């Protein structure tokens, strides 16, 4: 993986700077509970890491650490709102819980799915778009070749590192990402890391 990414001189510099990064070392999907991980991803939509972490901790406290569909559905929207969740996100999380309960979403089987099958299944649920699906594919299912074009941080990192003081088009960013195949998910890790420094 590192040999492939190192063929790109900029990526090679990032690898030298940050060492080996792995898809397992991420707080977004760190439980052994795919429902909880998907809830975490929904909470993190369009929020800073700090605010999202605070809300996640409050939700976990509210549910006594048992983040399961039946528990989410048993809690009132008023209680969930006290954690900092918006009305929309409460609806999105409950949509996921309902989908699991009615059998239309079988998270435990997702490891057997192809990337298009995962996308088709998840984006049927209101509140789960391309970004959330990308994060689930990268961090929860650990697909090695995902680049999230909807992630503002990734686009910013590519602009910073490859733009040379000019804005890159979506087509140019896509062409750059092609160089990282079949390990674009790992390239994402280095790009995100570059934003921390």
């Amino acid at each position: 993986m590192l040999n492939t990414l190192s063929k790109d001189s900029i990526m090679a510099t990032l690898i030298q700077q940050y060492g080996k990064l792995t898809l397992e070392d991420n707080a977004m999907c760190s439980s052994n509970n795919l429902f909880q991980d998907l809830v975490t991803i929904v909470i993190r939509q369009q929020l800073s890491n700090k605010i999202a972490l605070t809300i996640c901790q409050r939700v976990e406290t509210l549910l006594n650490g048992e983040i399961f569909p039946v528990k989410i559905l048993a809690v009132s929207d008023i209680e969930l709102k006290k954690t900092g969740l918006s009305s929309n996100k409460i609806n999105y999380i409950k949509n996921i819980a309902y989908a699991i309960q009615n059998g239309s979403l079988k998270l435990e089987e997702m490891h057997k799915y192809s990337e298009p099958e995962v996308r088709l299944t998840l984006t049927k649920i209101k509140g789960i778009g391309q970004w959330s699906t990308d994060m689930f594919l990268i961090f929860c299912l650990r697909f090695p070749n995902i680049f999230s074009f909807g992630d503002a941080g990734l686009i910013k990192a590519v602009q910073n590192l490859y733009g040379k003081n000019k804005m890159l088009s979506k087509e140019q960013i896509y062409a750059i990402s092609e160089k990282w195949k079949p390990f674009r998910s790992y390239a994402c890790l280095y790009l995100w890391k570059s934003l921390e420094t």
Side-chain angles (χ1 to χ4, degrees):
M1 176 270 292
L2 294 181
N3 288 340
T4 300
L5 293 181
S6 293
K7 291 174 183 175
D8 174 343
S9 61
I10 292 174
M11 197 57 65
T13 301
L14 294 178
I15 291 168
Q16 187 173 21
Q17 188 172 353
Y18 302 119
K20 186 176 181 180
L21 302 179
T22 69
L23 300 179
E24 291 81 5
D25 298 332
N26 188 275
M28 196 178 299
C29 295
S30 56
S31 73
N32 289 311
N33 174 349
L34 288 177
F35 174 70
Q36 180 174 341
D37 291 338
L38 198 48
V39 167
T40 299
I41 289 169
V42 169
I43 290 172
R44 287 178 65 134
Q45 292 171 359
Q46 299 178 320
L47 290 179
S48 71
N49 287 339
K50 185 178 180 181
I51 293 171
L53 180 61
T54 298
I55 294 173
C56 286
Q57 288 170 341
R58 289 174 184 165
V59 170
E60 194 164 345
T61 300
L62 176 65
L63 299 174
N64 297 316
E66 298 177 346
I67 301 178
F68 300 106
V70 66
K71 296 275 284 187
I72 284 282
L73 294 174
V75 177
S76 71
D77 290 6
I78 293 170
E79 287 299 307
L80 286 169
K81 230 173 191 177
K82 289 177 184 175
T83 67
L85 284 170
S86 67
S87 296
N88 280 343
K89 287 191 179 179
I90 291 168
N91 287 334
Y92 299 161
I93 290 166
K94 289 197 170 185
N95 287 343
I96 299 166
Y98 283 124
I100 291 171
Q101 285 216 321
N102 69 27
S104 61
L105 178 61
K106 296 181 171 69
L107 287 177
E108 69 280 359
E109 295 182 9
M110 298 288 263
H111 292 283
K112 304 172 190 173
Y113 290 13
S114 66
E115 179 190 333
E117 287 172 329
V118 173
R119 292 191 183 282
L120 184 63
T121 302
L122 289 182
T123 54
K124 282 180 182 175
I125 301 169
K126 188 174 182 184
I128 302 183
Q130 290 302 328
W131 180 85
S132 297
T133 303
D134 289 339
M135 297 305 108
F136 191 77
L137 283 162
I138 293 171
F139 294 114
C140 302
L141 299 182
R142 294 171 190 154
F143 275 62
N145 191 36
I146 307 296
F147 184 85
S148 182
F149 288 94
D151 188 273
L154 285 179
I155 301 304
K156 181 181 178 182
V158 175
Q159 295 283 9
N160 290 347
L161 295 164
Y162 296 83
K164 296 177 183 173
N165 300 319
K166 62 180 181 181
M167 288 297 289
L168 298 171
S169 67
K170 187 172 182 179
E171 291 73 24
Q172 288 172 311
I173 293 171
Y174 181 83
I176 291 167
S177 77
E178 286 286 290
K179 297 189 290 185
W180 306 322
K181 284 185 171 180
F183 299 112
R184 292 189 299 174
S185 299
Y186 292 89
C188 291
L189 298 181
Y190 288 97
L191 293 168
W192 278 314
K193 192 76 174 173
S194 75
L195 295 172
E196 296 176 8
T197 55

